[in-house]
PDB file of all heavy atoms in Angstrom:
ATOM      1  N   LYS A   5     -25.679 199.909  41.039  1.00 48.00           N
ATOM      2  CA  LYS A   5     -26.927 199.443  40.424  1.00 48.00           C
ATOM      3  C   LYS A   5     -26.653 198.395  39.346  1.00 48.00           C
ATOM      4  O   LYS A   5     -27.390 197.419  39.198  1.00 48.00           O
ATOM      5  CB  LYS A   5     -27.689 200.627  39.836  1.00 48.00           C
ATOM      6  CG  LYS A   5     -28.325 201.544  40.874  1.00 48.00           C
ATOM      7  CD  LYS A   5     -29.119 202.647  40.205  1.00 48.00           C
ATOM      8  CE  LYS A   5     -29.801 203.547  41.250  1.00 48.00           C
ATOM      9  NZ  LYS A   5     -30.577 204.636  40.607  1.00 48.00           N
ATOM     10  N   LEU A  11     -26.232 190.673  39.373  1.00 41.00           N
ATOM     11  CA  LEU A  11     -26.414 189.650  40.400  1.00 41.00           C
ATOM     12  C   LEU A  11     -27.834 189.090  40.357  1.00 41.00           C
ATOM     13  O   LEU A  11     -28.051 187.875  40.445  1.00 41.00           O
ATOM     14  CB  LEU A  11     -26.108 190.235  41.782  1.00 41.00           C
ATOM     15  CG  LEU A  11     -26.260 189.283  42.980  1.00 41.00           C
ATOM     16  CD1 LEU A  11     -25.289 188.111  42.848  1.00 41.00           C
ATOM     17  CD2 LEU A  11     -26.021 190.021  44.290  1.00 41.00           C
ATOM     18  N   THR A  12     -28.824 189.997  40.197  1.00 43.00           N
ATOM     19  CA  THR A  12     -30.229 189.568  40.135  1.00 43.00           C
ATOM     20  C   THR A  12     -30.476 188.666  38.936  1.00 43.00           C
ATOM     21  O   THR A  12     -31.132 187.627  39.050  1.00 43.00           O
ATOM     22  CB  THR A  12     -31.163 190.785  40.067  1.00 43.00           C
ATOM     23  OG1 THR A  12     -30.949 191.605  41.220  1.00 43.00           O
ATOM     24  CG2 THR A  12     -32.616 190.347  40.017  1.00 43.00           C
ATOM     25  N   ALA A  18     -30.134 181.080  37.506  1.00 36.00           N
ATOM     26  CA  ALA A  18     -29.866 179.864  38.283  1.00 36.00           C
ATOM     27  C   ALA A  18     -31.165 179.237  38.768  1.00 36.00           C
ATOM     28  O   ALA A  18     -31.322 178.007  38.753  1.00 36.00           O
ATOM     29  CB  ALA A  18     -28.960 180.191  39.476  1.00 36.00           C
ATOM     30  N   GLY A  33     -38.390 159.731  24.529  1.00 97.00           N
ATOM     31  CA  GLY A  33     -39.474 158.764  24.548  1.00 97.00           C
ATOM     32  C   GLY A  33     -40.039 158.451  25.921  1.00 97.00           C
ATOM     33  O   GLY A  33     -41.014 157.702  26.033  1.00 97.00           O
ATOM     34  N   GLU A  35     -41.805 160.226  27.745  1.00 97.00           N
ATOM     35  CA  GLU A  35     -43.166 160.722  27.888  1.00 97.00           C
ATOM     36  C   GLU A  35     -44.207 159.703  27.455  1.00 97.00           C
ATOM     37  O   GLU A  35     -45.401 159.867  27.721  1.00 97.00           O
ATOM     38  CB  GLU A  35     -43.354 162.032  27.119  1.00 97.00           C
ATOM     39  CG  GLU A  35     -43.003 161.965  25.657  1.00 97.00           C
ATOM     40  CD  GLU A  35     -41.575 162.371  25.357  1.00 97.00           C
ATOM     41  OE1 GLU A  35     -40.673 162.003  26.136  1.00 97.00           O
ATOM     42  OE2 GLU A  35     -41.360 163.055  24.332  1.00 97.00           O
ATOM     43  N   HIS A  38     -47.071 158.292  29.720  1.00 98.00           N
ATOM     44  CA  HIS A  38     -48.380 158.915  29.920  1.00 98.00           C
ATOM     45  C   HIS A  38     -49.410 158.456  28.894  1.00 98.00           C
ATOM     46  O   HIS A  38     -50.553 158.925  28.923  1.00 98.00           O
ATOM     47  CB  HIS A  38     -48.246 160.439  29.852  1.00 98.00           C
ATOM     48  CG  HIS A  38     -47.304 161.015  30.871  1.00 98.00           C
ATOM     49  ND1 HIS A  38     -47.603 161.072  32.221  1.00 98.00           N
ATOM     50  CD2 HIS A  38     -46.043 161.529  30.734  1.00 98.00           C
ATOM     51  CE1 HIS A  38     -46.579 161.623  32.871  1.00 98.00           C
ATOM     52  NE2 HIS A  38     -45.633 161.901  31.995  1.00 98.00           N
ATOM     53  N   ASN A  46     -53.421 149.352  37.636  1.00 98.00           N
ATOM     54  CA  ASN A  46     -53.162 148.719  38.922  1.00 98.00           C
ATOM     55  C   ASN A  46     -51.798 148.052  38.860  1.00 98.00           C
ATOM     56  O   ASN A  46     -51.010 148.334  37.958  1.00 98.00           O
ATOM     57  CB  ASN A  46     -54.282 147.740  39.312  1.00 98.00           C
ATOM     58  CG  ASN A  46     -54.475 146.644  38.281  1.00 98.00           C
ATOM     59  OD1 ASN A  46     -53.506 146.121  37.719  1.00 98.00           O
ATOM     60  ND2 ASN A  46     -55.716 146.288  38.011  1.00 98.00           N
ATOM     61  N   PRO A  52     -49.789 142.536  25.055  1.00 98.00           N
ATOM     62  CA  PRO A  52     -50.336 141.817  23.903  1.00 98.00           C
ATOM     63  C   PRO A  52     -49.483 140.604  23.536  1.00 98.00           C
ATOM     64  O   PRO A  52     -48.274 140.595  23.743  1.00 98.00           O
ATOM     65  CB  PRO A  52     -50.307 142.870  22.783  1.00 98.00           C
ATOM     66  CG  PRO A  52     -50.357 144.174  23.494  1.00 98.00           C
ATOM     67  CD  PRO A  52     -49.586 143.964  24.764  1.00 98.00           C
ATOM     68  N   LYS A  53     -50.138 139.570  23.017  1.00 98.00           N
ATOM     69  CA  LYS A  53     -49.513 138.348  22.513  1.00 98.00           C
ATOM     70  C   LYS A  53     -48.919 137.454  23.603  1.00 98.00           C
ATOM     71  O   LYS A  53     -48.189 136.510  23.301  1.00 98.00           O
ATOM     72  CB  LYS A  53     -48.448 138.676  21.461  1.00 98.00           C
ATOM     73  CG  LYS A  53     -48.993 139.445  20.259  1.00 98.00           C
ATOM     74  CD  LYS A  53     -47.957 139.653  19.172  1.00 98.00           C
ATOM     75  CE  LYS A  53     -47.672 138.380  18.417  1.00 98.00           C
ATOM     76  NZ  LYS A  53     -46.802 138.624  17.231  1.00 98.00           N
ATOM     77  N   LEU A  55     -50.476 135.271  25.555  1.00 97.00           N
ATOM     78  CA  LEU A  55     -51.032 133.923  25.558  1.00 97.00           C
ATOM     79  C   LEU A  55     -50.484 133.058  24.440  1.00 97.00           C
ATOM     80  O   LEU A  55     -50.222 131.867  24.635  1.00 97.00           O
ATOM     81  CB  LEU A  55     -52.562 133.987  25.467  1.00 97.00           C
ATOM     82  CG  LEU A  55     -53.282 134.559  26.682  1.00 97.00           C
ATOM     83  CD1 LEU A  55     -54.781 134.631  26.424  1.00 97.00           C
ATOM     84  CD2 LEU A  55     -52.997 133.726  27.925  1.00 97.00           C
ATOM     85  N   GLY A  72     -34.434 152.357  50.133  1.00 98.00           N
ATOM     86  CA  GLY A  72     -34.271 150.952  49.802  1.00 98.00           C
ATOM     87  C   GLY A  72     -35.062 150.006  50.683  1.00 98.00           C
ATOM     88  O   GLY A  72     -34.928 148.786  50.551  1.00 98.00           O
ATOM     89  N   ILE A  80     -45.844 154.718  38.652  1.00 98.00           N
ATOM     90  CA  ILE A  80     -46.196 154.132  37.352  1.00 98.00           C
ATOM     91  C   ILE A  80     -44.932 153.591  36.685  1.00 98.00           C
ATOM     92  O   ILE A  80     -43.901 154.273  36.655  1.00 98.00           O
ATOM     93  CB  ILE A  80     -46.875 155.164  36.442  1.00 98.00           C
ATOM     94  CG1 ILE A  80     -48.182 155.649  37.074  1.00 98.00           C
ATOM     95  CG2 ILE A  80     -47.148 154.580  35.051  1.00 98.00           C
ATOM     96  CD1 ILE A  80     -48.848 156.779  36.310  1.00 98.00           C
ATOM     97  N   TYR A  82     -43.617 151.788  33.023  1.00 99.00           N
ATOM     98  CA  TYR A  82     -43.950 151.570  31.617  1.00 99.00           C
ATOM     99  C   TYR A  82     -42.854 150.716  30.990  1.00 99.00           C
ATOM    100  O   TYR A  82     -41.661 151.003  31.166  1.00 99.00           O
ATOM    101  CB  TYR A  82     -44.035 152.918  30.900  1.00 99.00           C
ATOM    102  CG  TYR A  82     -44.027 152.853  29.388  1.00 99.00           C
ATOM    103  CD1 TYR A  82     -45.086 152.293  28.678  1.00 99.00           C
ATOM    104  CD2 TYR A  82     -42.957 153.387  28.660  1.00 99.00           C
ATOM    105  CE1 TYR A  82     -45.077 152.266  27.287  1.00 99.00           C
ATOM    106  CE2 TYR A  82     -42.946 153.362  27.273  1.00 99.00           C
ATOM    107  CZ  TYR A  82     -44.003 152.795  26.588  1.00 99.00           C
ATOM    108  OH  TYR A  82     -43.997 152.761  25.219  1.00 99.00           O
ATOM    109  N   ASN A  87     -40.538 141.977  19.447  1.00 98.00           N
ATOM    110  CA  ASN A  87     -41.183 140.666  19.336  1.00 98.00           C
ATOM    111  C   ASN A  87     -40.117 139.579  19.204  1.00 98.00           C
ATOM    112  O   ASN A  87     -38.914 139.832  19.397  1.00 98.00           O
ATOM    113  CB  ASN A  87     -42.176 140.643  18.168  1.00 98.00           C
ATOM    114  CG  ASN A  87     -41.502 140.889  16.823  1.00 98.00           C
ATOM    115  OD1 ASN A  87     -40.273 140.812  16.664  1.00 98.00           O
ATOM    116  ND2 ASN A  87     -42.303 141.194  15.814  1.00 98.00           N
ATOM    117  N   ILE A  91     -38.105 142.862  16.449  1.00 98.00           N
ATOM    118  CA  ILE A  91     -38.695 144.064  15.863  1.00 98.00           C
ATOM    119  C   ILE A  91     -39.708 144.668  16.831  1.00 98.00           C
ATOM    120  O   ILE A  91     -40.432 143.940  17.516  1.00 98.00           O
ATOM    121  CB  ILE A  91     -39.419 143.722  14.538  1.00 98.00           C
ATOM    122  CG1 ILE A  91     -38.452 143.047  13.562  1.00 98.00           C
ATOM    123  CG2 ILE A  91     -40.045 144.967  13.921  1.00 98.00           C
ATOM    124  CD1 ILE A  91     -37.286 143.902  13.149  1.00 98.00           C
ATOM    125  N   ILE A  95     -49.182 147.368  14.739  1.00 96.00           N
ATOM    126  CA  ILE A  95     -50.417 146.965  14.081  1.00 96.00           C
ATOM    127  C   ILE A  95     -50.682 147.869  12.884  1.00 96.00           C
ATOM    128  O   ILE A  95     -51.157 147.429  11.845  1.00 96.00           O
ATOM    129  CB  ILE A  95     -51.605 147.030  15.061  1.00 96.00           C
ATOM    130  CG1 ILE A  95     -51.400 146.040  16.209  1.00 96.00           C
ATOM    131  CG2 ILE A  95     -52.920 146.751  14.341  1.00 96.00           C
ATOM    132  CD1 ILE A  95     -52.465 146.121  17.280  1.00 96.00           C
ATOM    133  N   GLY A 102     -46.117 155.170  20.329  1.00 98.00           N
ATOM    134  CA  GLY A 102     -46.403 153.836  19.841  1.00 98.00           C
ATOM    135  C   GLY A 102     -45.882 153.614  18.433  1.00 98.00           C
ATOM    136  O   GLY A 102     -45.606 152.474  18.030  1.00 98.00           O
ATOM    137  N   THR A 114     -48.103 150.942  41.152  1.00 98.00           N
ATOM    138  CA  THR A 114     -47.917 150.195  42.393  1.00 98.00           C
ATOM    139  C   THR A 114     -48.955 150.573  43.443  1.00 98.00           C
ATOM    140  O   THR A 114     -49.424 151.713  43.498  1.00 98.00           O
ATOM    141  CB  THR A 114     -46.515 150.442  42.982  1.00 98.00           C
ATOM    142  OG1 THR A 114     -46.347 151.844  43.256  1.00 98.00           O
ATOM    143  CG2 THR A 114     -45.433 149.981  42.008  1.00 98.00           C
ATOM    144  N   PHE A 125     -43.668 138.161  27.157  1.00 98.00           N
ATOM    145  CA  PHE A 125     -42.831 137.071  26.670  1.00 98.00           C
ATOM    146  C   PHE A 125     -41.415 137.610  26.477  1.00 98.00           C
ATOM    147  O   PHE A 125     -41.181 138.824  26.456  1.00 98.00           O
ATOM    148  CB  PHE A 125     -43.375 136.487  25.362  1.00 98.00           C
ATOM    149  CG  PHE A 125     -43.531 137.478  24.241  1.00 98.00           C
ATOM    150  CD1 PHE A 125     -42.475 137.756  23.383  1.00 98.00           C
ATOM    151  CD2 PHE A 125     -44.729 138.148  24.055  1.00 98.00           C
ATOM    152  CE1 PHE A 125     -42.606 138.675  22.357  1.00 98.00           C
ATOM    153  CE2 PHE A 125     -44.876 139.071  23.016  1.00 98.00           C
ATOM    154  CZ  PHE A 125     -43.810 139.336  22.175  1.00 98.00           C
ATOM    155  N   PRO A 131     -32.233 142.288  14.987  1.00 96.00           N
ATOM    156  CA  PRO A 131     -31.756 141.432  13.901  1.00 96.00           C
ATOM    157  C   PRO A 131     -30.262 141.568  13.594  1.00 96.00           C
ATOM    158  O   PRO A 131     -29.643 140.616  13.112  1.00 96.00           O
ATOM    159  CB  PRO A 131     -32.602 141.891  12.707  1.00 96.00           C
ATOM    160  CG  PRO A 131     -33.868 142.390  13.322  1.00 96.00           C
ATOM    161  CD  PRO A 131     -33.440 143.051  14.592  1.00 96.00           C
ATOM    162  N   ARG A 134     -26.348 142.961  17.556  1.00 90.00           N
ATOM    163  CA  ARG A 134     -25.376 143.781  18.278  1.00 90.00           C
ATOM    164  C   ARG A 134     -25.812 144.116  19.697  1.00 90.00           C
ATOM    165  O   ARG A 134     -24.983 144.539  20.505  1.00 90.00           O
ATOM    166  CB  ARG A 134     -25.126 145.078  17.505  1.00 90.00           C
ATOM    167  CG  ARG A 134     -24.474 144.867  16.152  1.00 90.00           C
ATOM    168  CD  ARG A 134     -24.361 146.176  15.394  1.00 90.00           C
ATOM    169  NE  ARG A 134     -23.820 145.977  14.056  1.00 90.00           N
ATOM    170  CZ  ARG A 134     -23.770 146.930  13.130  1.00 90.00           C
ATOM    171  NH1 ARG A 134     -24.248 148.135  13.402  1.00 90.00           N
ATOM    172  NH2 ARG A 134     -23.272 146.671  11.939  1.00 90.00           N
ATOM    173  N   ILE A 139     -35.584 144.713  27.759  1.00 98.00           N
ATOM    174  CA  ILE A 139     -36.911 145.302  27.924  1.00 98.00           C
ATOM    175  C   ILE A 139     -36.712 146.694  28.513  1.00 98.00           C
ATOM    176  O   ILE A 139     -36.117 146.849  29.589  1.00 98.00           O
ATOM    177  CB  ILE A 139     -37.806 144.450  28.848  1.00 98.00           C
ATOM    178  CG1 ILE A 139     -38.042 143.071  28.231  1.00 98.00           C
ATOM    179  CG2 ILE A 139     -39.131 145.158  29.124  1.00 98.00           C
ATOM    180  CD1 ILE A 139     -38.801 142.117  29.124  1.00 98.00           C
ATOM    181  N   LEU A 157     -32.200 143.000  31.445  1.00 98.00           N
ATOM    182  CA  LEU A 157     -31.297 142.185  30.641  1.00 98.00           C
ATOM    183  C   LEU A 157     -31.263 140.789  31.262  1.00 98.00           C
ATOM    184  O   LEU A 157     -31.553 140.626  32.454  1.00 98.00           O
ATOM    185  CB  LEU A 157     -29.892 142.785  30.618  1.00 98.00           C
ATOM    186  CG  LEU A 157     -29.757 144.184  29.994  1.00 98.00           C
ATOM    187  CD1 LEU A 157     -28.367 144.742  30.265  1.00 98.00           C
ATOM    188  CD2 LEU A 157     -30.009 144.118  28.503  1.00 98.00           C
ATOM    189  N   ASP A 161     -28.004 135.500  28.561  1.00 98.00           N
ATOM    190  CA  ASP A 161     -27.929 135.963  27.178  1.00 98.00           C
ATOM    191  C   ASP A 161     -26.456 136.017  26.739  1.00 98.00           C
ATOM    192  O   ASP A 161     -25.661 136.767  27.321  1.00 98.00           O
ATOM    193  CB  ASP A 161     -28.562 137.350  27.074  1.00 98.00           C
ATOM    194  CG  ASP A 161     -28.689 137.848  25.643  1.00 98.00           C
ATOM    195  OD1 ASP A 161     -28.017 137.302  24.747  1.00 98.00           O
ATOM    196  OD2 ASP A 161     -29.465 138.797  25.425  1.00 98.00           O
ATOM    197  N   THR A 165     -22.158 140.645  27.110  1.00 96.00           N
ATOM    198  CA  THR A 165     -20.728 140.432  27.295  1.00 96.00           C
ATOM    199  C   THR A 165     -20.227 141.091  28.583  1.00 96.00           C
ATOM    200  O   THR A 165     -20.886 141.975  29.137  1.00 96.00           O
ATOM    201  CB  THR A 165     -19.957 141.016  26.111  1.00 96.00           C
ATOM    202  OG1 THR A 165     -20.168 142.448  26.086  1.00 96.00           O
ATOM    203  CG2 THR A 165     -20.430 140.405  24.796  1.00 96.00           C
ATOM    204  N   SER A 171     -20.565 148.298  31.605  1.00 96.00           N
ATOM    205  CA  SER A 171     -21.047 149.607  31.158  1.00 96.00           C
ATOM    206  C   SER A 171     -22.375 150.012  31.783  1.00 96.00           C
ATOM    207  O   SER A 171     -22.813 151.147  31.626  1.00 96.00           O
ATOM    208  CB  SER A 171     -21.193 149.609  29.626  1.00 96.00           C
ATOM    209  OG  SER A 171     -22.288 148.791  29.224  1.00 96.00           O
ATOM    210  N   VAL A 182     -32.199 136.965  36.514  1.00 98.00           N
ATOM    211  CA  VAL A 182     -32.093 135.515  36.343  1.00 98.00           C
ATOM    212  C   VAL A 182     -33.499 134.949  36.204  1.00 98.00           C
ATOM    213  O   VAL A 182     -34.382 135.267  37.003  1.00 98.00           O
ATOM    214  CB  VAL A 182     -31.378 134.868  37.545  1.00 98.00           C
ATOM    215  CG1 VAL A 182     -31.351 133.349  37.394  1.00 98.00           C
ATOM    216  CG2 VAL A 182     -29.966 135.416  37.680  1.00 98.00           C
TER     217      VAL A 182
END
Side-chain angles (χ1 to χ4, degrees):
K5 288 183 178 180
L11 180 62
T12 301
E35 56 267 40
H38 301 288
N46 58 39
K53 301 185 73 172
L55 292 177
I80 298 174
Y82 165 67
N87 62 15
I91 303 298
I95 297 175
T114 60
F125 57 87
R134 295 175 184 172
I139 297 175
L157 298 170
D161 187 343
T165 63
S171 71
V182 176

